[in-house]
Each structure stands twice: as structure tokens, then as C-alpha cells.
Amino acid sequence: MAKHKTHFEDCDVLVVGGGMAGTGAAFEARHWGRDLKIICVEKANIDRSGAVAQGLYAINCYMGMQWGENQPEDHVRYARNDLMGLVREDLGYDMARHVDSTVHMFDEWGLPMMKNEKTGRYLREGKWQIMIHGESYKPIVAEAAKKSADKIYNRIMITHLLMDENAENRVGGAVGFNMRTGDYYVFRAKTVIVAAGGASHIFKPRAVGEGMGRTWYAPWSNGSAYALPIAVGAKMTQMENRIVLCRFKDGYGPVGAYFLHLKTYTQNANGENYEKKWYDQTKEMVGEYIDHHPTPTCLRNHAFIQETIAGRGPIQMVTTEAFQDPHLETVGWENFLGMTVGQAVVWASQNIDPKYTNPELTTSEPYVMGSHATCSGAWVSGPEDLSPPEYFWGYNRMLTVEGLFGAGDTVGGSAHKFSSGSFTEGRLAAKAAVKYIEDQKAENINVSDKQCEDFKKAIYKPLENYTVGRNEITGGTVSPSYISPIQGLQRLQRIMDEYVGGIATNYMTNGNMLKRGLELLKWLEEDLENVGAEDYHQLMRAWELKHRALTSQCVTEHTLFREETRWPGYYYRGDHMKLDDENWHCLTVSRRDPKTGKFTLEKVPVYHIVDEKEKKKAS
Ligand SMILES: Cc1cc2nc3c(=O)[nH]c(=O)nc-3n(C[C@H](O)[C@H](O)[C@H](O)COP(=O)(O)OP(=O)(O)OC[C@H]3O[C@@H](n4cnc5c(N)ncnc54)[C@H](O)[C@@H]3O)c2cc1C
């Protein structure tokens, strides 16, 4: 163990993950905490890390309040509708009322924004989206964070949160290791903001073998945002609400700009509009939700999945009409070049020119995240002026662990934040974290050397497992005494895929399958004590896997708890095939006891704050 040098860093605000939310947090923490010590720790390099690493073509969340385009209330109604009624409206409203100011800063910082030539406003792609030339989106926001933080640590993976030993349930910092040098890092902090992205690769992806690593959500998003708080007993919400995306086949290329800007549409193999055909069947399952406008994302997926099961695939995007217009053709290709260049490469390899061939679509494996058209994540306090008592405990975006904050994919219940909303939520969390420190809530934190040493031993154990276990290998790579991170990952993905509603079962699961899945996940947990890592990169893979496995347990527990099919098209409970508003129009909240590893779940009321406000105004 002496081989791994230990570095100590004491700070006021520690930001874990330098993606969209993390850069927003670092920036805003400096604004409010001029004299505070602010540290940001990132697993990759913040210039090109997180889901926005490659760039984006649109900012998906912009109200346009200055031009009266949308108001925060409109966005709350939109997100609520898309999530079949279940969102934290206080969090959504709070994000929406601040998001425009974030986008205006991006504009000032040099992000190339497309403008509507007639109106001079930002060019709209849809009601909420504005178009950007966003290849350099991430380096631009990273610069703001670099200028704000005292120090950015790149290439350090945070594996555990530290807890205060003087006060019950208060955070004390975080620990991790440098993937290049192997050094051990202890960050003792008064507040911690977890902004470590969502979770891909917990369900078996469609792309395996030669395509392995190709996923829609960032492959390096490994659920640390969930595992870190779950491990210390923070409450989580809506973890069953995974997302399935309709995307271009094999390259996971996005379809939003095609639908909205190019006005393309989908059809089945016979050239029919299949969505309408599933109206009656869907109404039977979810009632009036199918009549909502716009049709919730999961219900559109539902029609796609059922049409494919009925044997009328492949489903295609009709591009051959729009692509006859040279301008739209350019937009269609550029959409990938700034965001998912791999899709263009896949089409080239399959001899698909969308001007002449309608490309195939598919539904992805499920992902767990809190910022897209889904809202799994931590159960956090809302803002003082909006939140009902059940949703408020002192500091905006603080988890149920004192001094521990979250933003972006980390935070549950607040869907449709996207890149701009995640940055905004990072700002909100940082402002509250600074206030927490100013209010002297973070005094006398004690993190003992023993706590740090114990984590150090645990972190490097996979290296030891390998060093000892490799001597028993007589041929090949299979050891009787350790499993490699890739073997563990594939086992995890199969459990989730086959028991928890992945692609193998057309997103179908039920109580018995989930219980069996939980048993298998428990055995996997035991075996992960014996994961072996041959170098520091594999050590990172080992810890990514452990975080994915813990996240998966939480997802499975939540899916078992909610006895209804709330989001057909995201997953189905075969034993409860209908949406059940009478019993399940609520949020689910879980807590894992750090001592026993047991989860407890509860229902928490969902408050429709926006329309309540309006009803009161009217009366
Ligand atoms: C394919 C795709 C397309 C999208 N398209 C759009 C779009 O067109 N418009 C739009 O507005 N939004 C879009 N989004 C959504 C947007 O990218 C996310 O909402 C946003 O990035 C979420 O911010 P975040 O900070 O929570 O996560 P991220 O930005 O992913 O950042 C998480 C960071 O945490 C780091 N990290 C993870 N684990 C650890 C650890 N253990 N220790 C240290 N660091 C860690 C990661 O390396 C990463 O840098 C898209 C997302 C994807 C994946």
C-alpha cells in the first residue's frame, strides 16, 4: 500500500465530476464564495469530458422568456406530461426560471449560436430547443470552471464519499485515485456537489462484440452519481424510470433535429404510419395520457416496439423527401458531424445515403439518468420559495445527507434539463452549498486517518486480487480466484437485460423476474470483492463496475416496488400491465442502509404546484 502515495487536499466546495453540471457548480461557487477554496475532480479531462464531450448541435432547454416564447410554467407542464404525470415540479420550475441566464452566458463566452435571420432571435429547432454550432461547447464551459476553481484535478476517479465522524449523516469529503499515477487522493471538504453524470452500460447494449462501447449515452457515465450517495445512505427517487431512446440504428444517431427541423417522419416496412394503429391498445393501458400533446416519449416508443413485435419492422425514418432540399441535406449531415460523427461513419459503411435510402431506426437499451426525458436520481431539497414541506429541508439541491449536494443527472424528479439545465442546476447547487458554509453548518467536521486508510485499502484491493490470483492461471485469462472487470460487466448487463426489462425481453419484466434479478445481483456483489485489476486503467474499470452494480440494485428495487406499468415503452411490468393512477400517482423514494445493505422504499406524494398556483389565482 505504501507504493501508492497519499495526497491530502482540504477545501470548502468539492465538485465531483466536471461535466455540464460540475462546470456550472464550479463557476457559481466562485461567484458567491469569493474567498472559498473550490476544487473540481474529474475522471477524464474537463475539456472533453461527460456527455457533451464531442459537442452538441442544439441546446435543448431554453425558455426564451425575454421574447415571451415560453415561461417556466410551460416547461413544467411539458416535463410533467412527458413523464406521465410524475415530476418534482418545484425543481423543474426552479431550473426553468434560471436557464435562460445560463444560455445568455454561453453566448457571451463565445458559443456560436444560430440566429433566426428574420427575427434576430436564437434559431429554434422546436419549442424548447435552440440551434448551436456546438463542437466546442464543452471546452467553452470548461474554461469558465478552470477560471473559477482553485484547482481542477483531471484523471482522478472518485470512488467513495467521506463521512463526518463528529455529526451523524454529514458528509466530510471524498476519496479517489489517479488513473495515470496510481496515487491516492483524499479531499476533505465542507460540502460536496456530486455531478458525475448518468449510467450507461448497466443494461446489455445492442452494440456488443465488434460494436462494444458504442452506446447512446456516454459510455464513461458509470453511475457514480448514484452509487456514491446510495453508499452513504442518501435517499433516491424514481430510479425505476429508466429511458429508452428511439435512434438511428447501429450508430445511435439522434433523431430530434430530423423530426423537428427537417420535418422527417417514421413509417413501418410497408410504408404505413404505425403510431395511429396502436392508439386503442395504448389507451386501454394508460387511459387519457395517450391523448396528451405532445405524445409522451415513452408512448411513442411503445408503438414502435409493438409494431416491431407484430412483425412489421424495420421501422424507417423517411429522409428521402427532406434531403432533396440541399439546405436540409446539409443540416442533416451537420447534425451528426457536431455530435455523433459515428452515425455518419456507420451509414457510409452500410452504403446508406439518406437522400436515396430511408435509414432504419431502433430502440436503445435502457439508461438511467436524471437530465434527459427521464428523471432517476437523488432525492433533494427544493428551493425555499416553491417547495412544499416534504420537499424542503434547508438548502436547495441538498440530498438527505447534510452538506451533500447534487446537480444534473445526479438529481431525480426533474426531467428535461439537458445540457443548459444541468449547468443551471450546478449553479443552483453551488449557491446553496456556499450558503450552507456561510451559515456555519459545516463546522468541526472530523474525518479520521483510519477512515481514509480503510478506503485506501479497499480501493487498491483489485490490484492485489490480480497480483495474487494470476499465479493460479495455467492458460488463457480465466482465473479461479478473481474475475476481470469486463467479465463482471457482462454478467451485470445480462442480469439487468434478462430480468429487469432490457432488450432481451422487449423491455418486459415482472415481480418474480425482479426478485430473481435481485438474488443474482447480490451474488454478483459478493463476487465483486474478488474483481482483479492488472493496471490502473483496469482499476478504474473495476470501480466503474462496482458503481454500476450498486446503481443496478437500486434500479431493480425501485422497479419491483412500483406495481404498475407507468411508462410503457420504457419498461413493462407484465404482472401489472396498466398505469394505475389510483395507487401509483406518486414518487418512489428509497434508502439503502449503509450498515446492512438493505433497501427500504416508500411512496411520496407528487404535488402539482404549477396548476395549483393557477387554480388559486383563478379562485
Ligand atoms: C448522445 C447525447 C446527446 C445529447 N444531446 C443533447 C442536445 O442535443 N442538447 C442538450 O442540451 N443536451 C443533450 N444531451 C444531454 C446533456 O448532455 C446532459 O443533460 C448533460 O451533459 C448532463 O450533465 P451532467 O453534468 O449531469 O453529466 P455529464 O455532462 O455527463 O458530466 C459528468 C461528468 O462526471 C465525470 N465523472 C463520472 N464519474 C466520475 C467519478 N467517479 N469521479 C470523477 N468524475 C466522474 C464524467 O467524466 C463527466 O465529465 C445529450 C446527451 C447525450 C448522451
Side-chain angles (χ1 to χ4, degrees):
M1 213 53 59
K3 187 172 151 211
H4 301 109
K5 196 174 163 197
T6 301
H7 303 258
F8 289 94
E9 180 79 88
D10 293 327
C11 62
D12 296 296
V13 180
L14 175 67
V15 181
V16 177
M20 286 308 294
T23 50
F27 169 78
E28 193 77 9
R30 175 59 69 222
H31 179 83
W32 298 100
R34 294 275 151 195
D35 304 325
L36 296 187
K37 187 163 176 192
I38 300 155
I39 299 288
C40 176
V41 185
E42 163 59 48
K43 187 171 74 162
N45 183 310
I46 70 162
D47 279 341
R48 285 282 171 196
S49 71
V52 179
Q54 198 185 128
L56 295 177
Y57 202 62
I59 288 177
N60 280 354
C61 185
Y62 179 72
M63 302 297 116
M65 282 186 271
Q66 61 176 329
W67 298 305
E69 290 177 337
N70 297 293
Q71 295 303 325
E73 287 86 349
D74 302 322
H75 194 263
V76 169
R77 286 193 201 97
Y78 166 66
R80 176 173 66 202
N81 174 52
D82 198 46
L83 273 292
M84 307 289 280
L86 307 186
V87 286
R88 280 276 303 269
E89 296 186 13
D90 57 332
L91 300 179
Y93 188 97
D94 192 31
M95 179 281 296
R97 68 181 165 179
H98 291 105
V99 73
D100 283 9
S101 72
T102 289
V103 174
H104 299 159
M105 287 196 308
F106 293 163
D107 194 354
E108 280 168 28
W109 295 343
L111 180 66
M113 321 283 290
M114 294 190 208
K115 298 272 165 64
N116 182 317
E117 281 174 14
K118 286 193 199 118
T119 62
R121 299 176 187 176
Y122 296 133
L123 183 65
R124 283 271 177 207
E125 180 183 86
K127 189 167 166 57
W128 305 105
Q129 299 84 351
I130 53 174
M131 301 188 70
I132 56 174
H133 293 289
E135 189 278 336
S136 50
Y137 195 178
K138 190 64 213 302
I140 288 171
V141 296
E143 193 181 331
K146 285 194 266 189
K147 286 188 171 146
S148 304
D150 288 85
K151 191 151 187 200
I152 308 273
Y153 283 90
N154 287 315
R155 304 285 170 206
I156 292 181
M157 178 175 184
I158 294 296
T159 54
H160 302 82
L161 293 174
L162 292 165
M163 293 300 279
D164 178 21
E165 288 160 58
N166 276 347
E168 187 70 13
N169 196 36
R170 187 165 69 166
V171 81
V175 295
F177 66 97
N178 184 303
M179 278 114 57
R180 297 287 157 88
T181 63
D183 285 0
Y184 178 56
Y185 282 81
V186 177
F187 300 96
R188 288 176 298 219
K190 289 186 174 169
T191 57
V192 179
I193 301 173
V194 174
S200 63
H201 274 304
I202 65 171
F203 285 85
K204 185 171 146 196
R206 288 210 186 265
V208 290
E210 50 86 30
M212 198 196 149
R214 201 187 290 150
T215 55
W216 168 74
Y217 208 62
W220 45 80
S221 293
N222 67 286
S224 294
Y226 312 122
L228 292 170
I230 292 169
V232 296
K235 289 186 177 177
M236 306 300 285
T237 189
Q238 300 294 91
M239 290 296 281
E240 69 278 20
N241 171 228
R242 72 293 293 273
I243 186 171
V244 169
L245 289 301
C246 169
R247 286 292 179 267
F248 286 114
K249 191 165 180 301
D250 298 334
Y252 293 92
V255 297
Y258 276 66
F259 282 129
L260 296 169
H261 197 71
L262 276 59
K263 309 287 179 231
T264 58
Y265 56 94
T266 56
Q267 64 183 22
N268 70 10
N270 307 325
E272 297 160 341
N273 174 342
Y274 60 89
E275 280 192 17
K276 283 190 205 146
K277 286 199 276 181
W278 293 98
Y279 174 84
D280 290 337
Q281 190 260 10
T282 312
K283 185 141 191 159
E284 183 61 24
M285 286 178 79
V286 302
E288 50 94 27
Y289 287 88
I290 185 61
D291 298 319
H292 289 194
H293 183 77
T295 308
T297 311
C298 62
L299 299 184
R300 298 193 67 184
N301 281 355
H302 173 66
F304 186 121
I305 294 163
Q306 298 311 315
E307 186 72 1
T308 313
I309 293 173
R312 288 185 289 271
I315 306 294
Q316 294 166 336
M317 173 81 89
V318 180
T319 51
T320 47
E321 295 167 13
F323 271 60
Q324 300 312 316
D325 175 336
H327 170 66
L328 295 184
E329 184 183 14
T330 307
V331 172
W333 283 109
E334 273 186 4
N335 179 39
F336 293 145
L337 297 180
M339 185 158 54
T340 315
V341 72
Q343 184 65 55
V345 178
V346 168
W347 279 354
S349 76
Q350 296 176 347
N351 205 22
I352 293 170
D353 180 345
K355 194 170 179 177
Y356 306 108
T357 307
N358 292 324
E360 257 180 78
L361 298 169
T362 191
T363 49
S364 73
E365 64 279 4
Y367 302 92
V368 177
M369 48 191 297
S371 71
H372 213 271
T374 180
C375 55
S376 312
W379 181 241
V380 299
S381 173
E384 193 174 1
D385 62 330
L386 288 175
S387 306
E390 276 120 316
Y391 296 175
F392 179 71
W393 47 94
Y395 295 90
N396 201 358
R397 267 64 178 186
M398 189 167 83
L399 279 66
T400 54
V401 170
E402 291 275 313
L404 180 61
F405 294 77
D409 279 328
T410 307
V411 169
S414 52
H416 288 275
K417 293 177 284 208
F418 294 100
S419 60
S420 46
S422 296
F423 190 95
T424 305
E425 200 169 46
R427 295 177 61 199
L428 294 167
K431 184 179 176 186
V434 171
K435 175 134 196 329
Y436 179 87
I437 295 169
E438 281 172 353
D439 289 350
Q440 319 249 309
K441 292 286 164 79
E443 300 302 301
N444 304 319
I445 294 177
N446 174 30
V447 172
S448 67
D449 288 348
K450 181 176 180 313
Q451 189 180 164
C452 302
E453 276 307 307
D454 286 350
F455 280 135
K456 187 174 183 182
K457 274 192 208 112
I459 287 175
Y460 294 104
K461 187 160 178 275
L463 290 175
E464 202 182 307
N465 288 344
Y466 175 81
T467 311
V468 176
R470 73 178 164 186
N471 298 318
E472 294 164 7
I473 299 175
T474 51
T477 55
V478 178
S479 163
S481 51
Y482 68 78
I483 57 168
S484 66
I486 186 68
Q487 289 164 341
L489 180 67
Q490 287 173 347
R491 184 161 142 201
L492 171 70
Q493 290 177 345
R494 275 199 63 189
I495 298 169
M496 295 302 285
D497 187 41
E498 293 172 15
Y499 295 93
V500 192
I503 52 177
T505 60
N506 282 314
Y507 313 101
M508 181 62 75
T509 184
N510 63 37
N512 289 325
M513 289 165 83
L514 291 163
K515 282 181 199 146
R516 178 67 183 145
L518 281 171
E519 278 172 14
L520 293 170
L521 286 171
K522 201 73 200 156
W523 292 339
L524 175 66
E525 183 188 332
E526 270 179 41
D527 287 349
L528 289 186
E529 283 303 306
N530 300 315
V531 65
E534 61 185 283
D535 55 28
Y536 297 132
H537 190 77
Q538 288 302 309
L539 188 62
M540 173 191 74
R541 290 280 183 248
W543 280 102
E544 286 183 338
L545 172 60
K546 282 169 183 266
H547 286 184
R548 284 190 165 105
L550 188 52
T551 302
S552 299
Q553 283 185 352
C554 188
V555 168
T556 310
E557 293 276 3
H558 271 256
T559 312
L560 180 61
F561 184 64
R562 183 179 284 284
E563 295 182 331
E564 65 160 352
T565 298
R566 169 68 48 173
W567 305 277
Y570 285 172
Y571 76 93
Y572 303 85
R573 275 287 303 249
D575 45 355
H576 300 281
M577 274 300 275
K578 286 192 177 181
L579 180 146
D580 176 4
D581 256 346
E582 208 175 301
N583 295 302
W584 289 99
H585 195 90
C586 63
L587 301 168
T588 56
V589 173
S590 69
R591 181 175 184 274
R592 176 183 172 277
D593 184 331
K595 291 197 184 95
T596 62
K598 285 220 158 22
F599 284 84
T600 43
L601 282 109
E602 60 181 314
K603 294 179 178 181
V604 176
V606 59
Y607 291 108
H608 296 306
I609 296 164
V610 164
D611 288 326
E612 279 308 306
K613 255 172 56 183
E614 304 226 317
K615 266 187 227 154
K616 270 186 205 147
K617 259 193 236 158
S619 61

